Amino acid sequence: MLLKSCCIYSIGVFSILILIAGISLVLSNVFPLLLQSMVKKEVVLKNGTEAFEAWENPPPPVYMQFYFFNLTNPLEVLDGDRPAVVEIGPYTYREYRPMEQVNFLDNGTKVAAVNTKTYIFQPNMSRGPESDLIRTVNIPAMTVMAQFRDHTLIANLISAYMKSSNEGLFTTQTVGELLWGYQDGLLRTLKVFKPDLDDVFGLFYKNNATNDGNYVFFTGQQNYKDFARVDTWNGESSLKWWTTDECNMINGTNGASFHPIINKNETLYMFSSDLCRSLYALYEKDVRVKGVPGYRFIPPSKVFANLTVNPDNAGFCVPAGNCLGSGVLNVSACKQGAPIIMSSPHFYQADEKFVVDVFGMKPNKEHHQTTIDINPVGILLILKIRKTMRIIIFLFSQTGNVRTVVFPVVYLNESVVIDDESAKKLHVVVAEGNIVVNVPFMLIGLGIILGAVFMVLMCRQKHPEGTAAERQPLLGS
């Protein structure tokens, strides 16, 4: 009887100790911190880690989709009417983007590399072939005219040549020519006077099977938050195109990777060489991709707002004080003087005047918002970059009756979705993480169960004595 009581009371004491241990672990956050420590050590750019392999050669397929804006009323535009455009696309390309010329620096704390991108046309994912015709603005002519707008004599000579050769403000070219290059008549003529001038023009001419410059990244060895963060680009730690130090800063990663252990309150910084600036994204909502939980981050409208809305953007007004409005960015300074303005597709989040000036603009958050869906571990689930820099627009000069208008040419949707194999691996990581994190709660649950067992055994120990006492008189009779 004494041994039985000792066992029962031992269960009670054990249940209390387990409860105390479980509650202590929950309050001290030991297991989540342990898990984070393990992830931080693993997610480092060094040979042999999965993080390095995924960074060097991303496993999920990346697709680049081009949507062109076909002009439908060229004669009316010449008479001063607003342009009317129809979106045509997508024309889809598989993008291969391995890191090459990888070289570790400073005892493994940094790594140098170039990000070579190659595009392969995907007919089965496209609206039509690369031979489809698109009518759009004559970009070489607009570029040349913009460069000589302050030289009246040269501008008049160019205008006279264009009239004599039947070159107008608009041109019709194939999708392949507009993207990858065609020989332009005006540029060919100018090449006679300027031999070093390239007479081939394309929106992405010389951008296939090439890289955007030399990067040096932090590996995350010293600080996990520095994982894949850009240290220098083309040997520089800051830009030179903008008018303030803040706007010239190179912040964050190149957008293809992010540091581990991401929370909802973080700001994700990215540097885009195409956009010629850094930008950031904020948490919007929770998502699930192929069953894997994640957070959605989006660039807020403040990123591309006018200085009246966001004074920090004053440096992006070039020349100083020349601001076009919210939602658009003049990048001519970093595009060899070409009159290029950047915006989100269909002028999403831009001033209403830009939408009204071109018939056919239909801004829509679902289709035109850049989104980053990322697991808290730091692994991208879905990346849809409706590249603000990749809707390429050109500014008309006052030529004849043509009014000044920002004219959309093409926008890009660069997207990547986590592949099934990576999703399965991430499922395992998430499941293991949940088990580790929930160990304290399991201990609390076990303590409660043992406490309940203790209470039941105590009641059963007392109950037989009462029953025997009640039965005694019946036996005597």
Side-chain angles (χ1 to χ4, degrees), residues 78 113 120 141 152 155 169 172 222 238 246 261 283-284 366 408 410:
L78 292 174
I120 306 297
T152 306
L169 291 179
T172 301
Q222 293 179 313
S238 63
E246 184 177 3
I261 318 301
Y283 168 82
E284 183 189 38
E366 181 181 353
V410 62

Side-chain angles (χ1 to χ4, degrees), residues 384-402:
K384 292 184 178 179
I385 301 180
R386 277 78 183 226
K387 283 190 176 179
T388 315
M389 35 63 63
R390 286 301 192 185
I391 177 168
I392 302 179
I393 22 190
F394 292 82
L395 194 60
F396 276 22
S397 301
Q398 290 282 1
T399 307
N401 293 323
V402 180

Side-chain angles (χ1 to χ4, degrees), residues 258 268 284-289 293-298 370-376 378-384 416 418:
F258 295 94
L268 298 184
E284 183 189 38
K285 63 180 181 180
D286 284 14
V287 294
R288 294 190 77 86
V289 179
Y295 303 145
R296 172 162 294 175
F297 285 78
I298 61 171
T370 289
T371 59
I372 304 168
D373 294 347
I374 189 167
N375 181 266
I379 297 176
L380 282 172
L381 303 177
I382 295 180
L383 178 65
K384 292 184 178 179
V416 55
I418 188 170

Side-chain angles (χ1 to χ4, degrees), residues 8 10 86 115 123 141 149 151 154 196 217 269 295 300 354 409:
I8 293 173
S10 297
V86 175
N115 192 198
R149 68 176 65 181
H151 300 80
I154 298 176
D196 60 339
F217 301 92
Y269 289 95
Y295 303 145
F354 298 111
V409 176

